[in-house]
Amino acid sequence: MSKYLITGGLPLTGEIKVSGAKNAALPIIAAAMLAESPSTLLDIPKLRDVTNLCSILRAMGAKIEREDNKVFLDPRTLNSFEADHEIARKLRASYYILGVFLAKNGWARTSLPGGCNIGNRPIDLHLKGFKSLGATVSLDHGIVEVKSEKLRGSRIYLDYPSVGATINIILAATMAEGKTIIENAAREPEIVDLANFLTVMGAQIKGVGTDIIKIEGVEELKGAEHRIIPDRIEAGTYMIASALTGGNVFVKNVLSEHVKPLIAKLHEMDVDLEEKISGVKINSTKRLNAVDIKTLPYPGFPTDLQSQMMVLLTQSDATSLVIETVWENRFMHVDELKRMGADIKIDGHSALIKPCKLAGAEVTATDLRAGAALILAGLSAEGETEIRDIYHIERGYENIEKKLATINANIRKIK
Ligand code: EPU
């Protein structure tokens, strides 16, 4: 089992480059399976979740070659439409297999997905979408099976703008007969990236990035080349790290419109920030104002930056309030932060954060973003922090310790 050892207190300085977005790469890799010919994807991050999804698809017969951040995917050799249950349970995004193979083959089966331990993770909205397109769905001992003779476009209202359900319905509807309209759709940039890839493949999709998406089914899709958008959550994590350590860091390869809610909060906190074409520069030496945060679907403040932001708020000048509305159990980092001296009180979905000095301690990453928050806390704390269970962090951050070390962080990975 590997751990991170961090000695805190150093201001971060220099330039750090953001990788391709995990949550765009995963559905786009799955979408490449819809085509009749191979696709090439660029800026695919080297992450455990990506490796697991590729393993699932290889076991189904696809030919996948990875060369650094480039991935070549050939779906022509697919010969099975059932995911390896063991691997599928390891990542949430394995459910995209359902949308893809329902569209392509009219049948698919996988185990109910796993992923982070951040709350009850139902897929009822995905299944409601598939049913509305004419599929039958069965759930038996944690295995989901979807099938349909012929998918037909329909009008689907999502009770909640779920990212995964919006993506799965888009995937299934690309080759359904006629028009599908998704209302109250999620608007996340990763969905726009997927739709851009599908459009180059030949799909007819309008309205992505708004809450009404229209898809006109086509008969066939062809392979395409596509570069994945930068990861806005990785970018936000490094922006917060710079503000937290009183650093001066240029976070490169960021689309600043994707991190607007974070930029707005950093401005409110009085962090000096400059938006450039290729990234965002953070220079923070002043006292930080306390601010309140409420997580919401895009373009609201992202839940995936809530834990990292909470660490920053421990270093502000007054009490702050964080309200988590997306996931029911996303305060697991709080107990670990308390070991480091944080003064945080949780009441249901809210957390009250009082200013404090953080001190190094032995802590455990309980999920991906909680783990990222602990790295940030370690960078700002006095003394040494040891983080266990870092495999959670490696699911979503490419080479995080190596990248941070290049901007003056004292962080080492040890076996
Ligand atoms: N929900 C339902 N029913 C459904 C689907 C979702 O009730 O059928 C609920 C969930 O329980 C949750 C809320 O809706 O309370 C949001 O879920 P959503 O479907 O939007 O999330 P997701 O697609 O499962 C993706 C990201 C998450 C990110 C969320 C919200 C991927 C692989 N995961 O999850 O990323 O937190 O959107 O932005 O794209 C992460 O990267 O750390 C991470 C957890």
Side-chain angles (χ1 to χ4, degrees):
M1 280 286 189
S2 301
K3 306 174 190 177
Y4 288 138
L5 274 188
I6 303 171
T7 306
L10 293 174
L12 302 181
T13 54
E15 188 175 294
I16 190 164
K17 186 167 178 234
V18 172
S19 301
K22 163 179 88 82
N23 291 344
L26 295 167
I28 288 175
I29 288 172
M33 298 296 120
L34 286 167
E36 296 301 323
S37 52
S39 290
T40 303
L41 301 177
L42 307 169
D43 281 355
I44 294 286
K46 282 181 257 164
L47 299 171
R48 200 174 289 256
D49 274 7
V50 170
T51 305
N52 279 331
L53 182 60
C54 289
S55 302
I56 291 173
L57 297 173
R58 276 198 196 102
M60 295 168 89
K63 215 155 91 196
I64 304 181
E65 281 158 27
R66 291 176 76 176
E67 187 192 307
D68 208 15
N69 294 107
K70 190 171 175 177
V71 180
F72 173 84
L73 303 107
D74 189 346
R76 290 174 298 187
T77 44
L78 280 164
N79 51 33
S80 152
F81 302 98
E82 177 160 8
D84 179 303
H85 297 318
E86 190 102 336
I87 313 177
R89 267 191 289 270
K90 290 187 186 160
L91 80 154
R92 178 82 178 155
S94 54
Y95 52 38
Y96 295 138
I97 282 177
L98 296 173
V100 166
F101 294 114
L102 185 58
K104 182 160 180 156
N105 177 58
W107 183 85
R109 185 149 55 179
T110 182
S111 51
L112 272 177
C116 280
N117 192 18
I118 54 182
N120 188 17
R121 299 190 78 167
I123 60 163
D124 55 309
L125 298 172
H126 304 231
L127 302 184
K128 174 178 153 178
F130 295 149
K131 282 184 198 158
S132 172
L133 294 171
T136 55
V137 170
S138 63
L139 261 170
D140 187 24
H141 292 90
I143 308 292
V144 198
E145 184 178 294
V146 288
K147 61 177 163 203
S148 152
E149 288 281 305
K150 178 89 198 128
L151 290 179
R152 290 205 167 76
S154 72
R155 184 180 281 264
I156 300 159
Y157 178 87
L158 292 178
D159 302 330
Y160 182 90
S162 152
V163 175
T166 303
I167 290 177
N168 241 338
I169 297 168
I170 293 176
L171 291 168
T174 48
M175 293 204 279
E177 192 181 281
K179 187 186 260 182
T180 298
I181 300 176
I182 311 174
E183 290 172 319
N184 199 25
R187 299 161 59 183
E188 270 67 3
E190 293 75 19
I191 299 173
V192 178
D193 202 29
L194 167 72
N196 287 341
F197 175 57
L198 287 168
T199 303
V200 184
M201 291 170 78
Q204 303 265 341
I205 308 175
K206 294 273 176 293
V208 277
T210 77
D211 60 355
I212 301 185
I213 299 177
K214 296 181 182 164
I215 304 136
E216 189 71 53
V218 294
E219 299 236 314
E220 195 182 286
L221 294 169
K222 56 186 187 312
E225 182 172 307
H226 181 78
R227 186 177 295 278
I228 305 295
I229 53 167
D231 195 309
R232 64 194 163 99
I233 306 302
E234 187 194 6
T237 303
Y238 298 145
M239 288 163 64
I240 295 171
S242 179
L244 179 69
T245 59
N248 185 348
V249 175
F250 179 53
V251 187
K252 202 171 142 184
N253 194 31
V254 184
L255 293 171
S256 60
E257 66 268 27
H258 291 172
V259 282
K260 279 277 178 258
L262 174 63
I263 289 179
K265 284 294 159 188
L266 293 177
H267 275 311
E268 261 185 71
M269 294 183 82
D270 209 15
V271 172
D272 280 338
L273 186 152
E274 213 182 314
E275 290 176 51
K276 302 191 173 213
I277 291 174
S278 59
V280 179
K281 193 165 187 212
I282 306 280
N283 188 353
S284 150
T285 45
K286 290 181 263 173
R287 263 174 89 90
L288 298 170
N289 297 329
V291 294
D292 295 340
I293 306 281
K294 185 176 185 179
T295 67
L296 285 168
Y298 191 84
F301 192 90
T303 170
D304 294 344
L305 285 175
Q306 177 257 108
S307 56
Q308 302 90 315
M309 196 64 182
M310 196 182 281
V311 177
L312 185 63
L313 295 175
T314 65
Q315 303 306 303
S316 71
D317 63 356
T319 302
S320 316
L321 174 69
V322 168
I323 305 175
E324 170 62 50
T325 75
V326 179
W327 296 110
E328 59 191 14
N329 187 23
R330 217 175 195 184
F331 284 142
M332 285 192 303
H333 46 284
V334 170
D335 278 344
E336 302 303 308
L337 291 175
K338 281 185 182 169
R339 289 176 198 272
M340 301 180 72
D343 183 350
I344 304 174
K345 284 198 180 57
I346 299 179
D347 182 9
H349 289 281
S350 307
L352 264 189
I353 300 114
K354 290 197 175 150
C356 74
K357 265 203 160 21
L358 293 171
E362 285 184 18
V363 288
T364 304
T366 49
D367 71 70
L368 165 57
R369 307 302 171 188
L374 295 177
I375 293 186
L376 299 193
L379 292 174
S380 132
E382 203 178 285
E384 193 167 84
T385 297
E386 182 180 307
I387 307 179
R388 288 181 295 252
D389 290 355
I390 62 169
Y391 59 88
H392 285 296
I393 304 172
E394 291 175 338
R395 281 189 41 231
Y397 289 90
E398 186 176 50
N399 291 331
I400 188 166
E401 79 285 2
K402 291 198 186 97
K403 286 191 188 185
L404 285 171
T406 64
I407 54 167
N408 203 35
N410 188 338
I411 174 169
R412 280 181 298 136
K413 180 170 161 178
I414 53 161
K415 295 269 178 209

